[in-house]
Amino acid sequence: MTADAPISRAEADLAHALFERHHAEVYAYLRRMVGDGALAEDLAQETFLRAFASRTGLARVQNPRAWLYRVATNLALNALKRRRRFAWLPWHAGAERQAAQPGPAEALGAHSAVEAALAALPPELRAPLLLYACEGMSVAEVAEALALSEGAVKMRLHRARRLFRQAYEREDAP
Amino acid sequence: MNHARCEELLAAYRDLRASERQAVEAHVAACPQCAATLRANQAMDHELAKLPAPQPGPTLRERYYAATAGPSARRWLPKPRLDALGNALGWAVAAAVAGVLLVGLAISARPLAQRAWPGVVASGAPATPRPVAPTTPGPTVADILANPPAPGESFEVDVYYSGTNPWAHHGPPPPPDATQALCPSSWASALTDEPFQAMLSLLNGSQSNALPEGGAWLVAVTPEMALPGVRTDPQLPYHARLRGHLGDPAFAHCPDAARIFMVEQVVQVYEQEPPAAPGYSLPEGYGTWPRHHDTALGYSVPYPPDWRVERQDAATVLLRAPGWPGYPVTIRVHEGETRYDPYDPATVPPLLQGDGWGVFEQGLSFGAPLEGSQRLAGYRVDRREPSGERSVAVLFGAHGRTYELALRYPGGFESPQPLLTAYTAIVEGFRLDAAPGPTPTPPVRQSLGAGPFLRQEQALARLAEAERQPLELLSARLVAEAAARRWAGPCATFAGHPDGVWVLTARGQFEGQERTVLYFLDASTGAKLCGEEVVPPGDGEFSIRFGSDPRGEVALSMEDVVAYDAATHEMVLTPEASARLAAFTPPTTGLPFVVCVGGEAVYRGAFWAGYSSQSYAGVVIDPTLAAQGRVRIELGYPTRDAFQGEDPRADPRILQALERAGKL
């Protein structure tokens, strides 16, 4: 945007265009991945700042959308790992806080049986199912977004679906 | 096919190759269990696809553009609420992301005891059940600032701490190369004589409050924060007597260094947690609020019963609260609608100019739209006033007017939260007498301007100059802005409204590799608008490309073709592809294309529009016929009589490729 930046306006614009085009869906995806709206916003911002930082190469990224989802997924998985670790550490020093630790479904702000079943999946399985079913990606795109082989994506989808069904039936039971 | 394999394939049923699909279908027909799995998976996809998409708040856009506004600036704006855990986590994650694991390590790897310092909460002391009054009043912050003790000299002070507010943030992620202690954020770690509300709720987000310049406040830091690159939030009680010192050398480089108070000990806790604040919700009695109705300007707005309505002029009305007489809500109607053109980020309409703006939509502030809400969408603008106060305005555009609902509000120790909540309720309840029409589309130029435009070779020369290398041209077309946007991938939102766009596919060396890039150039000036890499053709994949090179710009890909009739060479296209093609206007002398399988050109032809009066002896596609979702590859234009040569369309390589993709 500024004249002294060592990049062309068009490259910055490409990054901005990516932001305008995809930030809402990337945010929605991150929100479903991590549950927390504010954390999802942080991660979404980080995703697009990285896109901006690599703008010179971005013009030649074959599938920028998949690239964005790859960055977003990695950030989300890291955040969730960290959260799991934190959840076990009583670093807020309140036994009462620990007792009140929400379960995964509550932590993800789940409101329906579908959302609760989604929240019950391990994040590594939640990501491919969200990308395939909610974001409408093809197996090849999911593979690109998660840096996995197509075979691995199919396998994860298969496992995700099985766990999802089990969790859904539990949630749905009276 | 065995049962287990079938179940695996069913997990990605939508994406199966034709041969796999056939095998799966055969198995499913004979296996009730797999049939049930298929139905369950389809139901699952349906349920997942219709989950409501959570929407980001307007701050995401503000923060992104603020962070990318400078050459390397990563300015951090306040952001919406986080719970206390998420708060620290957010920063820890951000820090880790920035390549600095210090914060995470400081918190997670270090045993808890080391985090503690004498008397501070980490000792596991239970929260004080009810506030305890200071036994003998200690010195106040005002006293300390009036007569500052010597640097490093310990003293005690009774204070309120703003950092217990779970929405407060303690600063941006640290830079990866920090060699000094990071400076604390004053508003999030303020120690004050009276409670200071660090975050204010406003519209559908929150806003950081500002400390009054020269006011009675100190900024808390704790010993671990003196380490270079460590960002953490001091864990202090809400109201307590603290012992500590000013003038710690680790923070001498910080702004407000004279106010930075290094906490040595929590001497006595008066209140561990702040009193429960009323939630941010629709004010009580909202249902009985009267409405101010302006029939001339076509709007109505609710206001609290004890507020006064004052007309300032024909276009302006003030709503004044008895408790905040100096801060009325101003409703002003301007001529002309305010619209932001997303393709022209450099030009922000005057009413949107401020310290930050974003989109605003009714219905999100209090969790659900109010009864009768029109779900109006517009913009929100935030400004800092020279007086140190802030202002916020929401703008709705409709019927040739802009309706502005503005509020100036104080910061500092005055807590204007009730005023902000009432303003939010007024904005949420604002209604137009006649609902607005659909949002107008940005002023994209639909047809090619009059020029003059660069010639193809001039455009290529400009591009080669910009890229500092010779480029091999694979295809070129001069199109209107709208057509260029329709055809582009990530480049579809390039900035500006050029009179014409040269769409060039060129090959060159990028990052040590030979790549094909699709460029968009302003056809008048030759300025590069955007570039994106062209997807190289997949092995054995059918595509129709512009120009005569199989590496050129894709006109129709396999994904655009729903079905292909081998007898008539008619293609059923996706709605998106047919709309794109129908809007495409090739010159009357046609535009060449090449039908490819993989990287191999099978035969060539030309897009030839039905409005052309010139005839053509080759294979043609008339894009103007694509509107019905189908397009035919025909021989000769205007009729088959014009065609010369062999019919190349039924080449086995093409038919096999289409067969493999299940399109035949």
Side-chain angles (χ1 to χ4, degrees):
Chain A
M1 304 275 278
T2 47
D4 50 343
I7 45 115
S8 76
R9 164 73 185 267
E11 282 160 350
D13 284 346
L14 171 58
H16 294 337
L18 275 180
F19 175 84
E20 289 300 339
R21 243 175 120 135
H22 299 298
H23 78 273
E25 59 166 345
V26 167
Y27 167 82
Y29 167 67
L30 283 166
R31 175 72 191 265
R32 289 173 179 142
M33 278 300 285
V34 302
D36 176 340
L39 180 56
E41 279 213 4
D42 280 353
L43 299 177
Q45 178 178 15
E46 188 56 38
T47 304
F48 287 99
L49 288 184
R50 286 187 177 202
F52 185 79
S54 40
R55 60 198 171 258
T56 37
L58 206 57
R60 297 186 286 276
V61 168
Q62 272 184 28
N63 185 344
R65 184 168 178 253
W67 186 93
L68 286 172
Y69 275 97
R70 177 150 72 210
V71 174
T73 305
N74 287 339
L75 291 175
L77 293 178
N78 283 343
L80 289 169
K81 262 183 217 141
R82 199 156 278 280
R83 171 180 294 191
R84 275 187 298 217
R85 193 184 320 154
F86 274 104
W88 288 105
L89 277 176
W91 68 281
H92 262 292
E96 67 284 355
R97 265 185 208 273
Q98 236 194 334
Q101 275 299 331
E106 285 85 340
L108 288 177
H111 297 304
S112 67
V114 174
E115 285 170 295
L118 204 50
L121 296 180
E124 290 77 3
L125 296 184
R126 188 155 68 234
L129 188 61
L130 282 175
L131 294 176
Y132 185 83
C134 294
E135 310 299 333
M137 287 191 182
S138 67
V139 169
E141 285 175 294
V142 179
E144 199 180 338
L146 300 183
L148 294 169
S149 70
E150 291 189 27
V153 169
K154 286 183 188 163
M155 187 55 76
R156 286 189 191 200
L157 280 175
H158 176 49
R159 284 169 53 208
R161 286 184 185 284
R162 221 175 37 207
L163 288 178
F164 182 95
R165 265 203 306 278
Q166 288 166 3
Y168 184 80
E169 278 154 18
R170 267 203 313 276
E171 285 295 333
D172 220 25
Chain B
M1 167 170 295
N2 72 36
H3 188 72
R5 172 77 183 136
C6 179
E7 280 229 321
E8 267 171 43
L9 289 175
L10 283 176
Y13 185 71
R14 208 173 60 207
D15 267 26
L16 294 183
R17 288 194 288 274
S19 55
E20 287 173 325
R21 186 180 289 260
Q22 260 176 0
V24 167
E25 277 168 3
H27 179 88
V28 166
C31 169
Q33 196 186 333
C34 284
T37 303
L38 175 59
R39 279 197 304 277
N41 287 353
Q42 283 171 335
M44 189 187 303
D45 287 2
H46 180 69
E47 286 296 325
L48 286 170
K50 72 173 197 204
L51 275 181
Q55 292 295 316
T59 48
L60 178 58
R61 179 185 268 104
E62 289 167 28
R63 288 164 59 203
Y64 169 81
Y65 281 109
T68 56
S72 61
R74 284 174 57 107
R75 194 147 60 88
W76 207 263
L77 295 183
K79 54 180 183 166
R81 60 198 78 173
L82 282 177
D83 58 78
L85 181 63
N87 169 12
L89 277 175
W91 292 124
V93 169
V97 156
V100 179
L101 290 162
L102 270 173
V103 174
L105 291 173
I107 296 172
S108 62
R110 203 192 298 182
L112 195 58
Q114 284 184 26
R115 246 179 78 72
W117 53 93
V120 178
V121 288
S123 61
T128 316
R130 76 169 60 91
V132 178
T135 40
T136 47
T140 63
V141 172
D143 296 340
I144 300 291
L145 288 172
N147 294 300
E153 183 189 321
S154 288
F155 61 91
E156 291 184 8
V157 60
D158 285 332
V159 283
Y160 288 92
Y161 173 53
S162 72
T164 50
N165 184 310
W167 300 353
H169 292 285
H170 297 269
D177 50 355
T179 55
Q180 290 180 307
L182 301 175
C183 294
S185 125
S186 58
W187 62 279
S189 313
L191 300 173
T192 49
D193 289 331
E194 49 187 314
F196 169 69
Q197 196 175 351
M199 291 298 275
L200 300 167
S201 297
L202 176 60
L203 298 171
N204 54 351
S206 51
Q207 190 80 25
S208 61
N209 196 352
L211 285 160
E213 245 175 77
W217 49 272
L218 298 173
V219 184
V221 293
T222 47
E224 62 185 7
M225 293 167 70
L227 298 173
V230 172
R231 168 91 64 208
T232 183
D233 46 329
Q235 300 291 304
L236 296 171
Y238 169 65
H239 187 195
R241 177 167 298 180
L242 305 180
R243 165 175 286 282
H245 59 266
L246 297 175
D248 196 280
F251 297 95
H253 60 285
C254 292
D256 303 321
R259 292 169 181 265
I260 293 178
F261 179 75
M262 171 63 81
V263 181
E264 296 161 7
Q265 192 183 0
V266 176
V267 181
Q268 191 184 358
V269 176
Y270 306 128
E271 287 165 89
Q272 185 70 39
E273 301 287 343
Y280 180 55
S281 56
L282 195 59
E284 241 172 78
Y286 174 83
T288 64
W289 284 15
R291 288 186 84 83
H292 166 70
H293 192 174
D294 191 323
T295 43
L297 294 171
Y299 74 89
S300 71
V301 69
Y303 60 94
D306 57 341
W307 287 33
R308 266 203 335 264
V309 179
E310 298 168 17
R311 178 163 289 283
Q312 204 169 46
D313 56 49
T316 314
V317 158
L318 306 181
L319 304 175
R320 206 182 290 274
W324 305 89
Y327 299 100
V329 174
T330 307
I331 303 171
R332 183 170 289 131
V333 183
H334 306 262
E335 283 308 312
E337 293 184 24
T338 295
R339 300 285 176 197
Y340 170 70
D341 175 359
Y343 301 133
D344 196 359
T347 319
V348 177
L351 281 175
L352 284 184
Q353 285 169 15
D355 295 301
W357 67 272
V359 291
F360 174 81
E361 194 187 326
Q362 282 181 329
L364 301 170
S365 302
F366 299 121
L370 305 186
E371 205 185 319
S373 168
Q374 290 169 317
R375 302 295 299 265
L376 299 174
Y379 306 98
R380 165 196 174 154
V381 195
D382 292 283
R383 297 188 182 92
R384 277 167 206 275
E385 300 290 331
S387 58
E389 294 164 324
R390 306 230 181 140
S391 70
V392 58
V394 168
L395 306 165
F396 296 117
H399 313 305
R401 297 186 177 120
T402 298
Y403 297 83
E404 181 188 23
L405 291 85
L407 174 73
R408 189 168 51 83
Y409 58 95
F413 295 120
E414 279 184 84
S415 170
Q417 189 57 61
L419 176 65
L420 299 184
T421 308
Y423 167 75
T424 303
I426 289 169
V427 171
E428 284 284 339
F430 177 87
R431 281 176 61 87
L432 294 165
D433 292 354
T439 310
T441 44
V444 171
R445 308 216 171 144
Q446 298 297 319
S447 51
L448 205 56
F453 296 125
L454 299 176
R455 293 191 312 277
Q456 180 180 314
E457 57 276 15
Q458 288 174 315
L460 179 66
R462 295 282 171 89
L463 186 59
E465 198 181 313
E467 295 288 10
R468 293 196 203 92
Q469 59 170 311
L471 295 168
E472 179 194 355
L473 186 68
L474 302 181
S475 72
R477 39 193 201 109
L478 176 62
V479 297
E481 179 198 344
R485 293 194 189 280
R486 214 172 272 124
W487 234 280
C491 279
T493 47
F494 61 78
H497 298 292
D499 264 355
V501 179
W502 269 113
V503 182
L504 303 178
T505 324
R507 229 169 143 67
Q509 289 289 327
F510 299 97
E511 292 167 353
Q513 268 190 329
E514 193 165 318
R515 294 169 194 265
T516 307
V517 179
L518 178 63
Y519 287 103
F520 297 81
L521 266 65
D522 183 322
S524 307
T525 64
K528 186 177 143 192
L529 300 169
C530 189
E532 61 190 48
E533 182 160 11
V534 177
V535 185
D539 267 352
E541 197 180 299
F542 168 87
S543 63
I544 298 179
R545 286 164 188 260
F546 289 110
S548 57
D549 193 299
R551 297 165 301 178
E553 183 195 355
V554 178
L556 281 175
S557 73
M558 194 73 106
E559 280 171 16
D560 298 323
V561 179
V562 178
Y564 187 104
D565 185 333
T568 61
H569 302 285
E570 185 174 75
M571 292 179 275
V572 180
L573 301 179
T574 62
E576 208 175 57
S578 62
R580 207 173 61 203
L581 209 57
F584 166 50
T585 48
T588 51
T589 49
L591 193 75
F593 66 73
V594 55
V595 179
C596 312
V597 172
E600 198 178 349
V602 178
Y603 66 89
R604 295 189 166 79
F607 288 106
W608 212 278
Y611 47 73
S612 171
S613 57
Q614 307 197 33
S615 66
Y616 181 61
V619 178
V620 293
I621 294 176
D622 182 351
T624 59
L625 299 177
Q628 286 85 38
R630 292 158 190 274
V631 74
R632 202 177 274 206
I633 308 178
E634 290 186 285
L635 300 175
Y637 179 86
T639 63
R640 185 159 188 164
D641 298 337
F643 184 73
Q644 290 171 8
E646 299 260 310
D647 180 355
R649 296 172 300 172
D651 189 288
R653 285 168 292 176
I654 290 175
L655 297 183
Q656 279 162 18
L658 289 163
E659 166 97 74
R660 273 197 304 275
K663 309 280 183 180
L664 267 193

